[in-house]
């Protein structure tokens, strides 16, 4: 994952600034879209809860979570306030919850694809300009953070989307038993993130996904 401090230590001040700006973009644009995607899918499947609570909005302040936002800047991964969903409004509650949960990471992958597409498009015209270099890597870092968010949110640990997807796969009694330990699991997640234990697996999976979504842009614009 991208480290702002590592760039500062290496004297790469321009890259550090670009990373900060790209993470601001993710926080104020991509996270709201992530949550909006959850709400829209739930709404389409018959649940009006998010709509009634004003969560079908691009307004970042309707979605942002202070701790999740701080995590974006510190670790490059984080979360927003979960969109409220009432599974009783779905025809098939388990499948409805799984599809609603999956919508968020899918939206991040789509935004990551668009960002990396723009990066390769600009790179094909790169002429050594510092301004163009900054714009290129703004989109590259935005793509990287979006992909990392998708990978991170698919971890089956509450409050992440992966936990809700897991609920569609496990028998209800086992899932509810698992969720009884939600607070302790969340605490363990933060400790693992702080200690850097999850850095390697998340970075490996994110790198693999970045390569995957880069295939089409590379075929169109050529590799760098």
């Amino acid at each position: 994952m991208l480290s702002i401090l590592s760039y500062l230590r290496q004297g790469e001040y321009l890259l550090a600034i670009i990373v900060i700006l790209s993470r601001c973009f993710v926080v104020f644009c991509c996270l709201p879209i992530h949550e909006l995607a959850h709400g829209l899918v739930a709404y389409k499947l018959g649940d009006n809860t998010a709509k009634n609570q004003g969560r079908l909005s691009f307004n970042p302040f309707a979605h942002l979570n202070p701790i999740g936002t701080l995590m974006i800047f510190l670790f490059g991964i984080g979360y927003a306030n979960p969109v409220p969903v009432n599974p009783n409004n779905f025809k098939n509650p388990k499948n409805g919850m799984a599809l609603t949960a999956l919508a968020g990471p899918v939206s991040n992958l789509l935004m990551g694809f668009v960002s990396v597409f723009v990066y390769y498009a600009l790179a094909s015209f790169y002429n050594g300009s510092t301004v163009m270099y900054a714009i290129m890597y703004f989109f590259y870092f935005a793509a990287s953070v979006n992909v990392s968010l998708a990978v991170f949110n698919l971890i089956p640990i509450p409050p992440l989307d992966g936990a809700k997807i897991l609920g569609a796969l496990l028998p209800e009694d086992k899932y509810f038993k698992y969720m009884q330990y939600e607070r302790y699991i969340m605490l363990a997640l933060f400790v693992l993130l702080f200690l850097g234990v999850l850095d390697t697996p998340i970075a490996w999976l994110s790198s693999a996904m970045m390569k995957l979504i880069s295939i089409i842009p590379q075929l169109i614009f050529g590799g760098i």
Side-chain angles (χ1 to χ4, degrees):
M1 281 173 282
L2 304 164
S3 171
I4 296 170
L5 288 177
S6 66
Y7 287 128
L8 292 173
R9 290 193 195 102
Q10 296 167 18
E12 297 282 0
Y13 301 115
L14 178 59
L15 283 176
I17 292 170
I18 296 169
V19 171
I20 292 170
L21 290 175
S22 65
R23 290 184 183 179
C24 286
F25 172 71
V26 168
V27 164
F28 291 104
C29 181
C30 300
L31 281 184
I33 291 175
H34 174 109
E35 295 304 323
L36 177 60
H38 286 312
L40 280 175
V41 170
Y43 179 68
K44 292 296 183 181
L45 293 175
D47 179 34
N48 295 332
T49 308
K51 183 177 186 297
N52 293 338
Q53 295 190 22
R55 296 298 299 276
L56 296 189
S57 170
F58 286 104
N59 179 5
F61 299 104
H63 305 289
L64 296 186
N65 177 283
I67 296 175
T69 299
L70 182 62
M71 286 173 61
I72 293 285
F73 287 102
L74 293 179
F75 307 115
I77 49 178
Y79 58 91
N81 285 322
V83 163
V85 177
N86 185 350
N88 294 324
N89 291 325
F90 299 139
K91 290 182 180 178
N92 186 320
K94 291 184 76 172
N95 290 343
M97 282 299 296
L99 289 171
T100 299
L102 189 60
V106 168
S107 74
N108 285 121
L109 290 177
L110 289 173
M111 288 183 284
F113 174 78
V114 171
S115 295
V116 87
F117 191 94
V118 173
Y119 165 73
Y120 277 100
L122 292 173
S124 66
F125 297 102
Y126 180 56
N127 57 7
S129 163
T130 301
V131 173
M132 182 172 280
Y133 175 87
I135 295 173
M136 280 169 48
Y137 277 92
F138 170 87
F139 282 103
Y140 180 84
F141 292 146
S144 179
V145 176
N146 266 298
V147 168
S148 294
L149 280 172
V151 169
F152 176 64
N153 273 285
L154 287 172
I155 298 174
I157 293 176
L160 305 178
D161 298 321
K164 300 180 183 72
I165 297 171
L166 182 66
L169 304 176
L170 290 178
E172 285 190 14
D173 58 334
K174 288 186 171 57
Y175 179 66
F176 286 130
K177 188 173 182 179
Y178 173 69
M179 292 301 289
Q180 286 177 356
Y181 301 97
E182 179 178 357
R183 290 185 180 179
Y184 304 105
I185 296 170
M186 284 177 62
L187 180 60
L189 173 65
F190 291 134
V191 170
L192 291 174
L193 283 171
F194 182 76
L195 295 176
V197 175
L198 295 179
D199 284 2
T200 299
I202 292 176
W204 186 86
L205 290 170
S206 298
S207 177
M209 186 58 68
M210 279 289 287
K211 289 177 182 177
L212 183 62
I213 66 173
S214 297
I215 291 174
I216 293 176
Q218 286 179 342
L219 288 173
I220 295 174
F221 301 109
I224 297 176

